Amino acid sequence: MRSRMNKALAATALTLVTAVAVAGCSAGGDAAGDQELDLAPAVAGEIEAGALDGITLVYAGNGGITQEGQDEAIWQPFSEESGAIVEQDAFELTKLRAMVDSGNVDWNMVVSSSIEVERYCGELYEEIDTEKVDLSKVPDGTLAGDCMVPNIFYGYVVAYNADVYGDNAPQTAADFFDTEKFPGKRGVPVTPWMESPAVEFAMVANGADFDALTPEDFTAGLEAYSSLGSDLVPWTTGAQSQQQLESGEVDMALVWSGRGYGAANAGAPIVPMWGDWVVAVDGIAIPKGSANLDASFAAINYMLGADQQAASSELTSYAPVNVDAKPAVSEPLTDWLVSDHLDTGHTVSIDYWVENWDEFSAEWTDWVAGS
């Protein structure tokens, strides 16, 4: 999600944790200390009544409607059923690193990108105990590595103007880069941390062999964007990408699915292209060295329930991370839920990015500066 879509709103996130700090103890702890719990076998969405009485957990998210919606749909009901107190805070990687390095970890659960969690798995994040978190209902393509569970499930999707293209609409990633057959301006993300889905989309268009990717595939992906020339219109925030679509500044754009939905919901003639979209997942993870691991596992397990995920989708517009969840949503949101289109989605090659992250980030930064 760090959830990229709401990073700009983190400063205005839900009320930050204060009560536990005032009490003079770690927010991730509790009056009885770190508790090993004897809970029933994990079933997604279930928790024994009162099983976590007296325990305080801190959830560091990314603010905005996503964190607010999840609090209402998931954490408040979890508190009522389990007896735990779930406080809200705003996630920052530098703050997490400082906590872990100092051995004073105040957070119990955090939201970050799947690549970032995998990069620091075992260093900044604990491994997920799959005996204590039921992953059986998690959608295919949303699990990455040993330290995260999917929390936000969305996509990088081409959104295009139906009035412009009519019956000659783009269908594939290659169409996005074909300005002769599909003339018009293209919205393209050009900020740090978006290189992985953006460039993999270009690699799909290039016909890359995803079983044997090389650094040259990354470079070729950048060259595909450069080939757009004056038709490339950069965007740096989700709000900007949505505004470009609504105003007609661009005719199609690679955007977060939630922003495409936002433009359509505002009345713009914007529709999604489900060919070759890129699956995007932000994960929930447990900081290395945080207290009450069993309680954190129980909370994450509860989050994955079908009812909880359906309620969260209804409040946030993001797809549920439980295949049995049936959110009650209306048009146009029904057209934008990525969970209905997994068969045409492309999953980012996590290991490839983790292994080459420093090199690719530098190359991406240089390309953005010159674009």
Side-chain angles (χ1 to χ4, degrees):
M1 257 201 179
R2 60 184 170 264
S3 173
R4 314 309 197 206
M5 293 155 291
N6 292 300
K7 187 65 179 176
L9 297 176
T12 58
L14 304 175
T15 304
L16 303 184
V17 178
T18 57
V20 177
V22 169
C25 63
S26 166
D30 60 275
D34 192 5
Q35 298 185 25
E36 183 174 344
L37 304 173
D38 183 18
L39 301 175
V43 176
E46 296 185 6
I47 184 68
E48 298 175 56
L52 307 182
D53 280 343
I55 294 177
T56 295
L57 300 174
V58 181
Y59 175 79
N62 293 285
I65 62 172
T66 302
Q67 191 165 353
E68 293 171 358
Q70 288 186 326
D71 185 49
E72 180 178 342
I74 298 169
W75 303 125
Q76 291 180 28
F78 174 74
S79 293
E80 292 174 4
E81 294 186 40
S82 71
I85 298 171
V86 181
E87 301 282 2
Q88 304 287 322
D89 205 346
F91 175 78
E92 292 180 12
L93 180 62
T94 54
K95 187 174 181 181
L96 173 62
R97 181 174 290 280
M99 287 182 183
V100 174
D101 288 347
S102 69
N104 185 24
V105 181
D106 292 336
W107 295 335
N108 302 93
M109 300 173 288
V110 301
V111 177
S112 189
S113 75
S114 55
I115 291 177
E116 190 168 270
V117 173
E118 183 63 11
R119 286 180 69 203
Y120 299 114
C121 184
E123 177 184 350
L124 298 182
Y125 302 105
E126 300 278 0
E127 290 193 11
I128 299 297
D129 187 339
T130 55
E131 294 295 320
K132 298 177 180 178
V133 180
D134 176 12
L135 302 176
S136 63
K137 299 297 183 179
V138 171
D140 291 341
T142 60
L143 280 173
D146 298 322
C147 289
M148 65 148 276
V149 171
N151 177 65
I152 297 295
F153 178 27
Y154 57 109
Y156 281 74
V157 175
V158 171
Y160 66 89
N161 191 311
D163 288 350
V164 171
Y165 295 106
D167 294 333
N168 184 38
Q171 301 294 323
T172 67
D175 290 345
F176 183 84
F177 295 95
D178 188 344
T179 56
E180 292 187 8
K181 185 177 180 180
F182 303 96
K185 300 293 186 181
R186 267 70 162 161
V188 175
V190 295
T191 62
W193 48 253
M194 285 196 286
E195 53 265 61
S196 51
V199 178
E200 283 227 12
F201 178 75
M203 292 193 292
V204 171
N206 287 341
D209 180 359
F210 286 95
D211 291 326
L213 290 175
T214 68
E216 287 72 26
D217 290 308
F218 176 85
T219 302
L222 292 183
E223 291 171 351
Y225 283 112
S226 295
S227 73
L228 294 174
S230 61
D231 286 325
L232 190 156
V233 179
W235 62 263
T236 58
T237 68
Q240 184 183 23
S241 71
Q242 181 175 328
Q243 189 278 328
Q244 289 174 350
L245 288 168
E246 291 181 23
S247 68
E249 181 181 357
V250 300
D251 301 300
M252 66 174 80
L254 183 65
V255 298
W256 297 313
S257 51
R259 287 300 181 173
Y261 159 70
N265 196 45
I270 302 301
V271 295
M273 182 193 86
W274 288 114
D276 298 334
W277 68 281
V278 179
V279 178
V281 182
D282 282 349
I284 185 169
I286 299 174
K288 190 74 173 177
S290 66
N292 290 315
L293 278 179
D294 282 355
S296 296
F297 288 136
I300 293 172
N301 185 70
Y302 182 88
M303 179 202 75
L304 292 174
D307 291 343
Q308 293 87 329
Q309 286 299 308
S312 179
S313 291
E314 291 163 9
L315 292 171
T316 67
S317 83
Y318 296 117
V321 293
N322 182 310
V323 295
D324 292 337
K326 305 297 180 186
V329 297
S330 58
E331 293 183 353
L333 181 54
T334 52
D335 298 329
W336 291 90
L337 284 180
V338 298
S339 51
D340 294 334
H341 302 277
L342 281 173
D343 57 332
T344 58
H346 170 80
T347 302
V348 171
S349 310
I350 300 294
D351 291 344
Y352 174 72
W353 290 94
V354 170
E355 291 168 5
N356 298 283
W357 185 259
D358 291 339
E359 176 186 348
F360 289 171
S361 291
E363 192 170 348
W364 171 262
T365 299
D366 290 342
W367 178 80
V368 167
S371 64

